[in-house]
Amino acid sequence: MAYAAFRSIGAYVPEKILTNDDLSTMVDTTDEWITKRTGIKERHIAAKDEYTSDLGVKAAEKAIERSGVALGDIDMIITATISPDYFCMPSTATIISTKLGLKNVTAFDISAACTGFVYILSIAKAFIESGMKKNVLIIGAEKLSAITDYTDRGTCILFGDGAGAAMICATDDKSEAIIDVHTGADGEYADLLMTPNGGSGSTHDALDQEAGSCFMQMKGNETFKVAVRTLTKDVKEILAENNIASDDIIHFVPHQANYRIIKAVGDALKLREDQVVLTVGKFGNTSGASIPMAINDIYESGKLKSGELMLLDAFGGGLTWGSALVPFSPKN
Ligand code: UT7
């Protein structure tokens, strides 16, 4: 049987930085409030002519190079994004494949909001284990600034732009394989976090009139509570099902939405501070890109070593959630 190994990671953030002080000149907020309630100090914002696919390509180039996989051996690209280059088509994954110079790959996007990276990890694993694909490039890429309402202080302080990518490759060595991936969803909570306009329910007239038709709206406080509950429950389940103790986790990599959510989940799971990966302070919430960007952060700072076990944990609009037990398994 083929197993799926997490071979490499890469990430990219655009140059421009938007600080809390910058935001306090745009909406009624302060650096003190944002820092205390979210842990966020700054986030990166893409240039006007920089598309989600451009961010994804830069992250992917690093992941491909670090994996040692030849471009021509990549047989599938999946992008997780809620801020695609184009509303319906073409998919951002197809654009990325062309920008990377790839032909004849399977390429598609999925929409699972902040859980997107865990979802594409599960899809890559399934395709590889079934024998249908061998080298799958997965990318979480977001230009959330394009769908953020910069007059709404409840959301605009949270989100940033960026991308992260990983190469998932077939192996027959079970010891280097992804152990398990959980994914779930509950549409009952759809209204907590959504882009309410611009879809098939909007009339053409309404679309013409609504400038901000694709902006995100969030019931922040309710989302916060469901997030803590769901993230904790899902992790407890995946650890128990796989007979793994929280002490065995070297790196807990949660979706980077809010420091207080991460702290509450870490405490509930009795994780030590040195196990918890934190990047929300410098990148904000980058939705589907946040987990691979956080993994890349520990990789580039020399903290992520071959064979170390990561626990991924995500939660987002839909609602969706997911977790994964992933040893880091570079080729060399
Ligand atoms: O990524 C996927 C999922 N997303 C999340 O998980 C995000 C979850 N939610 C959150 O991170 C937090 O709920 C927020 C950071 C969005 C808000 O923090 P909170 O502690 O839940 O605040 P709140 O919404 O209960 O608001 C408390 C007060 C309100 O004022 P009153 O009604 O008490 O007078 C808000 O109007 O804070 C006010 N407020 C602000 N004040 C200054 C809300 N946003 C701001 C702001 N600056 N930016």
Side-chain angles (χ1 to χ4, degrees):
M1 177 185 166
Y3 298 103
F6 192 104
R7 283 273 182 256
S8 67
I9 188 74
Y12 172 77
V13 278
E15 214 174 300
K16 185 181 162 193
I17 290 175
L18 183 68
T19 65
N20 291 348
D21 284 336
D22 294 334
L23 280 162
S24 69
T25 66
M26 297 156 66
V27 288
D28 182 14
T29 192
T30 58
D31 171 46
E32 192 196 351
W33 192 96
I34 302 172
T35 307
K36 199 164 153 215
R37 300 281 180 132
T38 71
I40 301 169
K41 293 301 283 184
E42 57 190 37
R43 63 293 287 144
H44 290 247
I45 302 293
K48 235 184 185 149
D49 60 354
E50 205 172 17
Y51 285 61
T52 297
S53 61
D54 297 316
L55 312 183
V57 164
K58 290 200 169 111
E61 282 170 344
K62 283 192 194 159
I64 295 166
E65 193 207 317
R66 292 169 180 170
S67 71
V69 173
L71 258 191
D73 291 336
I74 295 173
D75 42 21
M76 183 151 96
I77 297 184
I78 320 170
T79 302
T81 185
I82 52 165
S83 48
D85 284 13
Y86 300 101
F87 180 32
C88 298
M89 58 186 168
S91 73
T92 304
T94 60
I95 299 167
I96 291 175
S97 69
T98 301
K99 287 181 177 172
L100 286 171
L102 290 169
K103 303 228 184 292
N104 262 328
V105 284
T106 304
F108 59 95
D109 293 352
I110 66 116
S111 169
C114 306
T115 319
F117 188 75
V118 178
Y119 267 68
I120 55 181
L121 185 68
S122 77
I123 298 168
K125 179 175 180 286
F127 266 91
I128 288 172
E129 288 176 352
S130 72
M132 286 176 72
K133 301 290 179 191
K134 287 198 162 42
N135 296 302
V136 182
L137 173 62
I138 58 172
I139 305 164
E142 301 286 10
K143 184 174 176 176
L144 295 179
S145 57
I147 57 166
T148 296
D149 179 355
Y150 285 98
T151 65
D152 173 15
R153 69 176 181 172
T155 54
C156 73
I157 54 144
L158 299 171
F159 299 108
D161 301 338
M167 279 299 314
I168 313 299
C169 303
T171 177
D172 20 350
D173 179 357
K174 195 175 177 187
S175 73
E176 60 176 15
I178 295 167
I179 297 169
D180 198 5
V181 188
H182 276 193
T183 50
D186 185 350
E188 286 287 323
Y189 293 100
D191 67 327
L192 290 190
L193 189 49
M194 66 190 317
T195 50
N197 304 309
S200 58
S202 295
T203 64
H204 288 214
D205 283 354
L207 276 180
D208 290 343
Q209 285 158 18
E210 289 166 15
S213 64
C214 283
F215 290 161
M216 288 180 280
Q217 289 180 14
M218 180 174 69
K219 295 179 181 164
N221 199 267
E222 289 168 58
T223 308
F224 188 106
K225 289 174 197 152
V226 187
V228 175
R229 207 169 54 231
T230 311
L231 286 165
T232 309
K233 179 173 177 284
D234 203 42
V235 163
K236 283 185 175 160
E237 282 171 7
I238 201 169
L239 290 177
E241 278 171 28
N242 291 282
N243 242 331
I244 289 175
S246 57
D247 257 1
D248 299 331
I249 304 302
I250 310 292
H251 306 285
F252 174 56
V253 193
H255 166 50
Q256 307 285 315
N258 182 322
Y259 171 70
R260 285 160 55 218
I261 296 178
I262 297 171
K263 173 93 175 75
V265 174
D267 288 351
L269 297 169
K270 298 191 170 48
L271 293 167
R272 297 182 315 273
E273 251 176 49
D274 64 283
Q275 289 173 290
V276 181
V277 178
L278 266 181
T279 55
V280 68
K282 58 182 176 183
F283 298 141
N285 180 345
T286 56
S287 192
S290 95
I291 286 182
M293 286 169 71
I295 298 174
N296 183 70
D297 204 66
I298 50 171
Y299 174 79
E300 290 195 349
S301 59
K303 290 186 200 142
L304 177 60
K305 307 267 168 34
S306 181
E308 289 185 343
L309 185 58
M310 298 184 280
L311 168 62
L312 318 185
D313 194 17
F315 172 90
L319 293 180
T320 55
W321 59 86
S323 55
L325 286 163
V326 185
F328 182 54
S329 304
K331 192 89 184 158
N332 303 307

